[in-house]
Amino acid sequence: MSPLNKKVLIVTGKGGTGKTTAAAALGVWSANQGLNTLLVECNGARSIGSLFDQPPNTYTPQRLRDSLFGMSITSDEAIEDFVIKQIKVRALYSMVFRNRVMGPFMDAVPGLHDAVHLGKVYDLVENEVTNGRPTWDRIIVDAPATGHGLHMLNASRSMMDLTRTGPIHENAKLVHTMTSDRAQTGLIMTCLPEEMPVSETLELNEQLSSAGYSVSAIVLNEMVNAALPDSSTWPDVSAALIADGCSDLVDLVERHCTRGAQQADAQSKLHTTIQAPLFEFPMLLSTELGLPEINRLAEQLNKPVAP
Amino acid sequence: MTAQVIMCCGSGGVGKTTTSAALALAWANAGDRVCVLTVDPAKRLADSLSIGEIGGQPTPISIPDALGTCHAVMLDVKETFEGLIHRFSESTEAAEKILANRYFQFACTKLGGVHEYMAAEKVRELATCGLYDVIVVDTPPTRNALDFLQAPERMANMMDGTVMRWLSASGSRGGWRALELGSEAIGRVLRTLVGQSTIGEIAQFFDLFRHLWSGFQSRSLEVQTLLRASDTRFLLVTTPSPAARSEALFFLEQLKTHQMCFAGFLVNRVESQPQSAASAIPQTGPGEWDTLRTQLTELIALQSKIADAHRRNIRDLAAAGPTNAPTWLIPHQGRPINQMHDLLSLSGWLPARQDLG
């Protein structure tokens, strides 16, 4: 059973490790199975539309391709949605209320910005129905880079502790149950095969564990496959190359050897410490990330490198 | 004399912290009195610059044979906020009361815009203390450059907005009971959302806080003035990947909209073309030479492809930015950059202070 086979997949990781790329690839992988999949961007990020040659995502889901839709959540829209649904005050919810009351209020209630994102995801999972069936077979969340998704995950807990009663409290409890249910929700962590990203990823994993979450799968990005010279003959070979005036080739080989070692190190450290299946994405050498590249990456999700 | 402020902005993972530190060391070496403010440094970088254990106070960094000086500060949001509360409170007792408030304890680092506000406040503090020529700022990796610039305004809206005035006014009129009697729809909505006691706690905090609000307000105006000063510069740090490019252009748009001074692009980890061609590989040599030749040929081809992709990405970045935008390319060093000598070795590729205008 694939570790990716969950109703909700939350893609998290340090900035620059390829979260959005991984989320898009997961979306395609899921849609390829014929499952109605929704890709969700947070904090008003709108990068995913262009990957599929579509306009930027908005709060209303748009079709990206067959079986795949995309949306972008801002906390303003999510809280408005919530307030209107929960307390039925549409008449009150004017621009004035939004700017002069809800804006400052959201700033003053810590974690509310984060909490409403997963609150909306919960709403989509539980309440969106088409012809009597849940609309979405799978929802993939590209978590915010700031706070590395941890704040977003913890926000429902914070809301529960802070509010103690009321609709936000009740909703936060349900959201927390959803995100803690390992059968329903999977955490996917992205990483790069370099020393600092790996150690920061392991640190993030520790913080997630302490908060009661566990990573379902790891995606290692920007992997390069290159055959390298045999290390036993290399000293002689490099001496010969230097003698022939090709010392830059020696540097090139040693750079790639270092990269190879870092990649192997990343694979083993991540897999052994986090103990989750590991997938790898190759380094892409095109100047644009689009459908052909995303499709290629989606293929990799069928072949875990380390199960 | 106010110091010049150089903001290194960009999305996460592009090497902002490393770049900020490297710029600071390079300029200190060349003769300036520099202070670098970092927000979230990797532990090893903090250790190598000896700022791991220090709070909000500048730590001197000794650079052998430098013509100038360098200090480093790690932002401590809570400490900075508490400092401001002490500064603007009528008395020590008043300050202590706010600091002891449960909501303040819970919320102070999590209030919307607070992190960015305190970073901006710290920049102002450092720029106006008279000890430095230039402040290099490693900005938080928020996607929105606006966050940094708008933070003082946003805090102002939060403190001064209708709802807060209502909350704190109601709170002072008769304690929390007054809130229960209120029939305003606004109050009803908010109470329903988060519950009575939460509103009460928030109200109590803002009731205490509003006494020092005018201090914060004028301070925040000073901070905003500094951020928009004519010699404040924004350096956009990025990498040659397509994803990083679109983030960089998004930042650039923000700077343009707010008429902030864009100093140029600084592109990290740039790969270059191999110098020797495959034809330069000797015909025979030690070991399994045919296999080796094939491997070397493939490596040269791979490096060439990577370097070419980088070149095209950088070209596309420059084309999408303002005409003739200065661009500094920092070659990939092939190893983690954590020690001082590694940071200093980048100096040759970095802009000199006068290059930023």
Side-chain angles (χ1 to χ4, degrees), chain B residues 322-348:
Chain B
T323 328
N324 299 324
T327 306
W328 291 275
L329 306 181
I330 320 296
H332 197 307
Q333 302 295 304
R335 67 189 190 283
I337 305 294
N338 285 325
Q339 298 307 309
M340 185 180 301
H341 63 86
D342 295 318
L343 291 164
L344 284 168
S345 73
L346 299 176
S347 303

PDB file of all heavy atoms in Angstrom, chain B residues 322-348:
ATOM      1  N   PRO B 322      14.101  45.209 -14.265  1.00  0.00           N
ATOM      2  CA  PRO B 322      14.304  46.519 -14.885  1.00  0.00           C
ATOM      3  C   PRO B 322      15.535  46.475 -15.802  1.00  0.00           C
ATOM      4  O   PRO B 322      16.450  45.689 -15.584  1.00  0.00           O
ATOM      5  CB  PRO B 322      14.545  47.461 -13.699  1.00  0.00           C
ATOM      6  CG  PRO B 322      14.663  46.620 -12.501  1.00  0.00           C
ATOM      7  CD  PRO B 322      14.278  45.229 -12.812  1.00  0.00           C
ATOM      8  N   THR B 323      15.524  47.359 -16.823  1.00  0.00           N
ATOM      9  CA  THR B 323      16.636  47.366 -17.790  1.00  0.00           C
ATOM     10  C   THR B 323      17.954  47.651 -17.080  1.00  0.00           C
ATOM     11  O   THR B 323      18.020  48.512 -16.211  1.00  0.00           O
ATOM     12  CB  THR B 323      16.427  48.483 -18.827  1.00  0.00           C
ATOM     13  OG1 THR B 323      15.034  48.652 -19.015  1.00  0.00           O
ATOM     14  CG2 THR B 323      17.084  48.131 -20.147  1.00  0.00           C
ATOM     15  N   ASN B 324      18.978  46.900 -17.463  1.00  0.00           N
ATOM     16  CA  ASN B 324      20.317  47.114 -16.897  1.00  0.00           C
ATOM     17  C   ASN B 324      20.377  46.989 -15.375  1.00  0.00           C
ATOM     18  O   ASN B 324      21.183  47.657 -14.733  1.00  0.00           O
ATOM     19  CB  ASN B 324      20.872  48.496 -17.286  1.00  0.00           C
ATOM     20  CG  ASN B 324      21.007  48.631 -18.780  1.00  0.00           C
ATOM     21  OD1 ASN B 324      21.336  47.666 -19.467  1.00  0.00           O
ATOM     22  ND2 ASN B 324      20.729  49.813 -19.301  1.00  0.00           N
ATOM     23  N   ALA B 325      19.508  46.156 -14.795  1.00  0.00           N
ATOM     24  CA  ALA B 325      19.580  45.945 -13.346  1.00  0.00           C
ATOM     25  C   ALA B 325      20.916  45.291 -13.027  1.00  0.00           C
ATOM     26  O   ALA B 325      21.298  44.308 -13.655  1.00  0.00           O
ATOM     27  CB  ALA B 325      18.445  45.044 -12.891  1.00  0.00           C
ATOM     28  N   PRO B 326      21.662  45.819 -12.060  1.00  0.00           N
ATOM     29  CA  PRO B 326      22.924  45.171 -11.684  1.00  0.00           C
ATOM     30  C   PRO B 326      22.666  43.748 -11.239  1.00  0.00           C
ATOM     31  O   PRO B 326      21.665  43.469 -10.576  1.00  0.00           O
ATOM     32  CB  PRO B 326      23.428  46.008 -10.515  1.00  0.00           C
ATOM     33  CG  PRO B 326      22.660  47.267 -10.537  1.00  0.00           C
ATOM     34  CD  PRO B 326      21.367  46.987 -11.211  1.00  0.00           C
ATOM     35  N   THR B 327      23.556  42.839 -11.648  1.00  0.00           N
ATOM     36  CA  THR B 327      23.407  41.444 -11.256  1.00  0.00           C
ATOM     37  C   THR B 327      24.759  40.926 -10.811  1.00  0.00           C
ATOM     38  O   THR B 327      25.746  41.100 -11.509  1.00  0.00           O
ATOM     39  CB  THR B 327      22.905  40.600 -12.455  1.00  0.00           C
ATOM     40  OG1 THR B 327      21.714  41.198 -12.958  1.00  0.00           O
ATOM     41  CG2 THR B 327      22.580  39.188 -12.029  1.00  0.00           C
ATOM     42  N   TRP B 328      24.812  40.340  -9.650  1.00  0.00           N
ATOM     43  CA  TRP B 328      26.040  39.733  -9.155  1.00  0.00           C
ATOM     44  C   TRP B 328      25.848  38.230  -9.108  1.00  0.00           C
ATOM     45  O   TRP B 328      24.845  37.739  -8.563  1.00  0.00           O
ATOM     46  CB  TRP B 328      26.377  40.280  -7.758  1.00  0.00           C
ATOM     47  CG  TRP B 328      26.789  41.723  -7.808  1.00  0.00           C
ATOM     48  CD1 TRP B 328      28.038  42.209  -8.070  1.00  0.00           C
ATOM     49  CD2 TRP B 328      25.944  42.855  -7.603  1.00  0.00           C
ATOM     50  NE1 TRP B 328      28.022  43.579  -8.046  1.00  0.00           N
ATOM     51  CE2 TRP B 328      26.751  44.015  -7.763  1.00  0.00           C
ATOM     52  CE3 TRP B 328      24.587  43.028  -7.315  1.00  0.00           C
ATOM     53  CZ2 TRP B 328      26.248  45.313  -7.644  1.00  0.00           C
ATOM     54  CZ3 TRP B 328      24.084  44.318  -7.203  1.00  0.00           C
ATOM     55  CH2 TRP B 328      24.917  45.442  -7.363  1.00  0.00           C
ATOM     56  N   LEU B 329      26.776  37.487  -9.723  1.00  0.00           N
ATOM     57  CA  LEU B 329      26.680  36.028  -9.776  1.00  0.00           C
ATOM     58  C   LEU B 329      27.725  35.426  -8.853  1.00  0.00           C
ATOM     59  O   LEU B 329      28.914  35.704  -8.997  1.00  0.00           O
ATOM     60  CB  LEU B 329      26.911  35.536 -11.213  1.00  0.00           C
ATOM     61  CG  LEU B 329      26.039  36.163 -12.292  1.00  0.00           C
ATOM     62  CD1 LEU B 329      26.379  35.552 -13.658  1.00  0.00           C
ATOM     63  CD2 LEU B 329      24.564  35.944 -11.990  1.00  0.00           C
ATOM     64  N   ILE B 330      27.270  34.609  -7.922  1.00  0.00           N
ATOM     65  CA  ILE B 330      28.185  33.971  -6.986  1.00  0.00           C
ATOM     66  C   ILE B 330      28.332  32.505  -7.379  1.00  0.00           C
ATOM     67  O   ILE B 330      27.337  31.769  -7.350  1.00  0.00           O
ATOM     68  CB  ILE B 330      27.667  34.037  -5.527  1.00  0.00           C
ATOM     69  CG1 ILE B 330      27.021  35.393  -5.233  1.00  0.00           C
ATOM     70  CG2 ILE B 330      28.770  33.697  -4.535  1.00  0.00           C
ATOM     71  CD1 ILE B 330      27.968  36.560  -5.297  1.00  0.00           C
ATOM     72  N   PRO B 331      29.535  32.072  -7.768  1.00  0.00           N
ATOM     73  CA  PRO B 331      29.693  30.682  -8.192  1.00  0.00           C
ATOM     74  C   PRO B 331      29.414  29.703  -7.056  1.00  0.00           C
ATOM     75  O   PRO B 331      29.687  29.998  -5.888  1.00  0.00           O
ATOM     76  CB  PRO B 331      31.166  30.592  -8.610  1.00  0.00           C
ATOM     77  CG  PRO B 331      31.656  31.982  -8.722  1.00  0.00           C
ATOM     78  CD  PRO B 331      30.801  32.811  -7.834  1.00  0.00           C
ATOM     79  N   HIS B 332      28.871  28.551  -7.428  1.00  0.00           N
ATOM     80  CA  HIS B 332      28.656  27.471  -6.469  1.00  0.00           C
ATOM     81  C   HIS B 332      30.023  27.068  -5.911  1.00  0.00           C
ATOM     82  O   HIS B 332      30.945  26.813  -6.674  1.00  0.00           O
ATOM     83  CB  HIS B 332      28.009  26.291  -7.198  1.00  0.00           C
ATOM     84  CG  HIS B 332      27.367  25.296  -6.282  1.00  0.00           C
ATOM     85  ND1 HIS B 332      28.036  24.717  -5.210  1.00  0.00           N
ATOM     86  CD2 HIS B 332      26.120  24.784  -6.264  1.00  0.00           C
ATOM     87  CE1 HIS B 332      27.211  23.893  -4.598  1.00  0.00           C
ATOM     88  NE2 HIS B 332      26.048  23.912  -5.207  1.00  0.00           N
ATOM     89  N   GLN B 333      30.132  27.040  -4.596  1.00  0.00           N
ATOM     90  CA  GLN B 333      31.434  26.776  -3.994  1.00  0.00           C
ATOM     91  C   GLN B 333      31.715  25.289  -3.817  1.00  0.00           C
ATOM     92  O   GLN B 333      32.820  24.907  -3.476  1.00  0.00           O
ATOM     93  CB  GLN B 333      31.533  27.476  -2.626  1.00  0.00           C
ATOM     94  CG  GLN B 333      31.315  28.979  -2.707  1.00  0.00           C
ATOM     95  CD  GLN B 333      32.404  29.674  -3.507  1.00  0.00           C
ATOM     96  OE1 GLN B 333      33.586  29.555  -3.207  1.00  0.00           O
ATOM     97  NE2 GLN B 333      32.004  30.402  -4.544  1.00  0.00           N
ATOM     98  N   GLY B 334      30.705  24.460  -4.020  1.00  0.00           N
ATOM     99  CA  GLY B 334      30.920  23.017  -3.916  1.00  0.00           C
ATOM    100  C   GLY B 334      31.049  22.502  -2.507  1.00  0.00           C
ATOM    101  O   GLY B 334      31.391  21.348  -2.299  1.00  0.00           O
ATOM    102  N   ARG B 335      30.787  23.351  -1.514  1.00  0.00           N
ATOM    103  CA  ARG B 335      30.873  22.921  -0.114  1.00  0.00           C
ATOM    104  C   ARG B 335      30.024  23.876   0.722  1.00  0.00           C
ATOM    105  O   ARG B 335      29.732  24.983   0.267  1.00  0.00           O
ATOM    106  CB  ARG B 335      32.330  22.953   0.365  1.00  0.00           C
ATOM    107  CG  ARG B 335      32.887  24.365   0.432  1.00  0.00           C
ATOM    108  CD  ARG B 335      34.382  24.404   0.695  1.00  0.00           C
ATOM    109  NE  ARG B 335      34.828  25.761   0.980  1.00  0.00           N
ATOM    110  CZ  ARG B 335      35.008  26.704   0.067  1.00  0.00           C
ATOM    111  NH1 ARG B 335      34.802  26.452  -1.200  1.00  0.00           N
ATOM    112  NH2 ARG B 335      35.406  27.908   0.423  1.00  0.00           N
ATOM    113  N   PRO B 336      29.601  23.441   1.937  1.00  0.00           N
ATOM    114  CA  PRO B 336      28.792  24.342   2.761  1.00  0.00           C
ATOM    115  C   PRO B 336      29.621  25.563   3.165  1.00  0.00           C
ATOM    116  O   PRO B 336      30.815  25.445   3.422  1.00  0.00           O
ATOM    117  CB  PRO B 336      28.448  23.507   4.000  1.00  0.00           C
ATOM    118  CG  PRO B 336      28.793  22.111   3.664  1.00  0.00           C
ATOM    119  CD  PRO B 336      29.808  22.143   2.585  1.00  0.00           C
ATOM    120  N   ILE B 337      29.002  26.715   3.207  1.00  0.00           N
ATOM    121  CA  ILE B 337      29.705  27.958   3.559  1.00  0.00           C
ATOM    122  C   ILE B 337      29.320  28.318   4.985  1.00  0.00           C
ATOM    123  O   ILE B 337      28.279  28.910   5.230  1.00  0.00           O
ATOM    124  CB  ILE B 337      29.288  29.104   2.606  1.00  0.00           C
ATOM    125  CG1 ILE B 337      29.504  28.695   1.155  1.00  0.00           C
ATOM    126  CG2 ILE B 337      30.026  30.388   2.936  1.00  0.00           C
ATOM    127  CD1 ILE B 337      30.942  28.495   0.761  1.00  0.00           C
ATOM    128  N   ASN B 338      30.134  27.929   5.941  1.00  0.00           N
ATOM    129  CA  ASN B 338      29.798  28.179   7.339  1.00  0.00           C
ATOM    130  C   ASN B 338      30.890  28.881   8.119  1.00  0.00           C
ATOM    131  O   ASN B 338      30.619  29.612   9.041  1.00  0.00           O
ATOM    132  CB  ASN B 338      29.496  26.851   8.051  1.00  0.00           C
ATOM    133  CG  ASN B 338      28.141  26.323   7.651  1.00  0.00           C
ATOM    134  OD1 ASN B 338      27.218  27.091   7.434  1.00  0.00           O
ATOM    135  ND2 ASN B 338      28.033  25.021   7.525  1.00  0.00           N
ATOM    136  N   GLN B 339      32.129  28.634   7.751  1.00  0.00           N
ATOM    137  CA  GLN B 339      33.230  29.214   8.517  1.00  0.00           C
ATOM    138  C   GLN B 339      33.562  30.592   7.991  1.00  0.00           C
ATOM    139  O   GLN B 339      33.303  30.920   6.836  1.00  0.00           O
ATOM    140  CB  GLN B 339      34.468  28.306   8.400  1.00  0.00           C
ATOM    141  CG  GLN B 339      34.254  26.916   8.970  1.00  0.00           C
ATOM    142  CD  GLN B 339      33.729  26.971  10.392  1.00  0.00           C
ATOM    143  OE1 GLN B 339      34.274  27.653  11.249  1.00  0.00           O
ATOM    144  NE2 GLN B 339      32.638  26.272  10.645  1.00  0.00           N
ATOM    145  N   MET B 340      34.184  31.396   8.846  1.00  0.00           N
ATOM    146  CA  MET B 340      34.490  32.765   8.454  1.00  0.00           C
ATOM    147  C   MET B 340      35.353  32.816   7.200  1.00  0.00           C
ATOM    148  O   MET B 340      35.109  33.635   6.307  1.00  0.00           O
ATOM    149  CB  MET B 340      35.179  33.512   9.595  1.00  0.00           C
ATOM    150  CG  MET B 340      35.375  34.963   9.184  1.00  0.00           C
ATOM    151  SD  MET B 340      36.161  36.007  10.391  1.00  0.00           S
ATOM    152  CE  MET B 340      35.018  35.842  11.724  1.00  0.00           C
ATOM    153  N   HIS B 341      36.339  31.951   7.085  1.00  0.00           N
ATOM    154  CA  HIS B 341      37.203  32.041   5.903  1.00  0.00           C
ATOM    155  C   HIS B 341      36.439  31.707   4.621  1.00  0.00           C
ATOM    156  O   HIS B 341      36.730  32.248   3.557  1.00  0.00           O
ATOM    157  CB  HIS B 341      38.468  31.171   6.061  1.00  0.00           C
ATOM    158  CG  HIS B 341      38.205  29.705   6.184  1.00  0.00           C
ATOM    159  ND1 HIS B 341      38.069  28.876   5.086  1.00  0.00           N
ATOM    160  CD2 HIS B 341      38.034  28.924   7.285  1.00  0.00           C
ATOM    161  CE1 HIS B 341      37.837  27.643   5.510  1.00  0.00           C
ATOM    162  NE2 HIS B 341      37.804  27.648   6.823  1.00  0.00           N
ATOM    163  N   ASP B 342      35.412  30.824   4.727  1.00  0.00           N
ATOM    164  CA  ASP B 342      34.571  30.546   3.555  1.00  0.00           C
ATOM    165  C   ASP B 342      33.786  31.795   3.163  1.00  0.00           C
ATOM    166  O   ASP B 342      33.681  32.141   1.989  1.00  0.00           O
ATOM    167  CB  ASP B 342      33.543  29.434   3.869  1.00  0.00           C
ATOM    168  CG  ASP B 342      34.194  28.098   4.142  1.00  0.00           C
ATOM    169  OD1 ASP B 342      35.142  27.747   3.410  1.00  0.00           O
ATOM    170  OD2 ASP B 342      33.744  27.405   5.082  1.00  0.00           O
ATOM    171  N   LEU B 343      33.223  32.470   4.173  1.00  0.00           N
ATOM    172  CA  LEU B 343      32.438  33.678   3.899  1.00  0.00           C
ATOM    173  C   LEU B 343      33.328  34.759   3.284  1.00  0.00           C
ATOM    174  O   LEU B 343      32.940  35.417   2.325  1.00  0.00           O
ATOM    175  CB  LEU B 343      31.801  34.201   5.195  1.00  0.00           C
ATOM    176  CG  LEU B 343      30.700  33.323   5.776  1.00  0.00           C
ATOM    177  CD1 LEU B 343      30.412  33.700   7.216  1.00  0.00           C
ATOM    178  CD2 LEU B 343      29.426  33.428   4.948  1.00  0.00           C
ATOM    179  N   LEU B 344      34.518  34.920   3.829  1.00  0.00           N
ATOM    180  CA  LEU B 344      35.433  35.945   3.300  1.00  0.00           C
ATOM    181  C   LEU B 344      35.860  35.617   1.880  1.00  0.00           C
ATOM    182  O   LEU B 344      36.088  36.515   1.073  1.00  0.00           O
ATOM    183  CB  LEU B 344      36.657  36.090   4.220  1.00  0.00           C
ATOM    184  CG  LEU B 344      36.394  36.855   5.509  1.00  0.00           C
ATOM    185  CD1 LEU B 344      37.557  36.692   6.479  1.00  0.00           C
ATOM    186  CD2 LEU B 344      36.154  38.334   5.214  1.00  0.00           C
ATOM    187  N   SER B 345      35.939  34.315   1.547  1.00  0.00           N
ATOM    188  CA  SER B 345      36.380  33.946   0.199  1.00  0.00           C
ATOM    189  C   SER B 345      35.374  34.368  -0.872  1.00  0.00           C
ATOM    190  O   SER B 345      35.697  34.391  -2.054  1.00  0.00           O
ATOM    191  CB  SER B 345      36.638  32.439   0.115  1.00  0.00           C
ATOM    192  OG  SER B 345      35.413  31.738   0.118  1.00  0.00           O
ATOM    193  N   LEU B 346      34.143  34.702  -0.467  1.00  0.00           N
ATOM    194  CA  LEU B 346      33.137  35.126  -1.450  1.00  0.00           C
ATOM    195  C   LEU B 346      33.287  36.599  -1.830  1.00  0.00           C
ATOM    196  O   LEU B 346      32.687  37.056  -2.802  1.00  0.00           O
ATOM    197  CB  LEU B 346      31.719  34.918  -0.881  1.00  0.00           C
ATOM    198  CG  LEU B 346      31.318  33.496  -0.507  1.00  0.00           C
ATOM    199  CD1 LEU B 346      29.921  33.510   0.121  1.00  0.00           C
ATOM    200  CD2 LEU B 346      31.316  32.586  -1.718  1.00  0.00           C
ATOM    201  N   SER B 347      34.101  37.339  -1.067  1.00  0.00           N
ATOM    202  CA  SER B 347      34.171  38.796  -1.215  1.00  0.00           C
ATOM    203  C   SER B 347      34.364  39.279  -2.643  1.00  0.00           C
ATOM    204  O   SER B 347      33.755  40.265  -3.053  1.00  0.00           O
ATOM    205  CB  SER B 347      35.297  39.376  -0.349  1.00  0.00           C
ATOM    206  OG  SER B 347      35.116  39.020   0.984  1.00  0.00           O
ATOM    207  N   GLY B 348      35.211  38.594  -3.386  1.00  0.00           N
ATOM    208  CA  GLY B 348      35.514  39.048  -4.741  1.00  0.00           C
ATOM    209  C   GLY B 348      34.306  39.106  -5.656  1.00  0.00           C
ATOM    210  O   GLY B 348      34.260  39.883  -6.610  1.00  0.00           O
TER     211      GLY B 348
END
